[in-house]
Amino acid sequence: MITCCKLHCTEMEIEYVPGSKITDYSIKVEGRDIGVSVTRAMKFCKKNDEMFTEEDAERLLSKKLYGVNESTRGVISQSWEKQILHVWAQEEYMADILWDTYERLDQTLKSNTVVVVTVCHSAEWLFR
């Protein structure tokens, strides 16, 4: 259980080696530095009731987890023990697809990261 968590640095306050991938912000959790990256699971061009698919989930998770690992290697102003990838999803079925896809990903992509998925129905502004 997390008992104490607070914002440590925003994206522009975190320093990296030149050319590194970046993380959105960092937090302090019980005295530990944790990086946080945020993304959205959605269907951008929804044509003919096209649904979010396993291929969409694999592309999203692979890209974001690769970036998280690279930003952990490239950060110089902090020393992250872990990072959190926070995924905002439009629908529950998307969270299910993300979970199933995550389970099949290579362990090297997942090794540094805790993935949290939040389903949010009532914030359409988040997915525009």
Side-chain angles (χ1 to χ4, degrees):
M1 177 186 339
I2 297 174
T3 58
C4 181
C5 176
K6 70 179 198 172
L7 178 66
H8 183 229
C9 292
T10 60
E11 181 178 61
M12 299 306 292
E13 296 171 314
I14 302 169
E15 297 177 35
Y16 301 89
V17 297
S20 177
K21 299 285 185 184
I22 64 172
T23 292
D24 294 310
Y25 59 95
S26 68
I27 58 176
K28 285 275 192 188
V29 178
E30 298 177 350
R32 298 182 181 126
D33 289 331
I34 307 290
V36 181
S37 189
V38 181
T39 192
R40 298 172 295 171
M42 56 188 283
K43 199 65 179 181
F44 285 102
C45 299
K46 205 169 186 180
K47 298 177 186 172
N48 301 325
D49 294 325
E50 196 173 325
M51 303 292 282
F52 184 81
T53 65
E54 289 181 10
E55 292 79 23
D56 296 324
E58 184 171 353
R59 185 173 33 259
L60 176 68
L61 290 172
S62 295
K63 177 182 176 183
K64 295 304 288 188
L65 290 169
Y66 172 80
V68 164
N69 288 323
E70 289 298 304
S71 70
T72 297
R73 282 191 274 283
V75 70
I76 56 177
S77 62
Q78 299 178 37
S79 179
W80 295 323
E81 293 183 31
K82 285 274 188 195
Q83 287 209 53
I84 296 169
L85 174 59
H86 185 185
V87 183
W88 288 95
Q90 285 179 299
E91 304 288 340
E92 276 99 9
Y93 86 90
M94 293 175 172
D96 293 338
I97 290 172
L98 288 161
W99 172 257
D100 291 342
T101 302
Y102 177 82
E103 288 293 300
R104 291 192 308 272
L105 291 176
D106 188 280
Q107 186 59 37
T108 58
L109 276 176
K110 304 186 290 185
S111 64
N112 182 45
T113 312
V114 174
V115 176
V116 176
V117 179
T118 302
V119 177
C120 188
H121 298 287
S122 60
E124 284 302 315
W125 53 268
L126 186 60
F127 300 102
R128 286 190 198 139

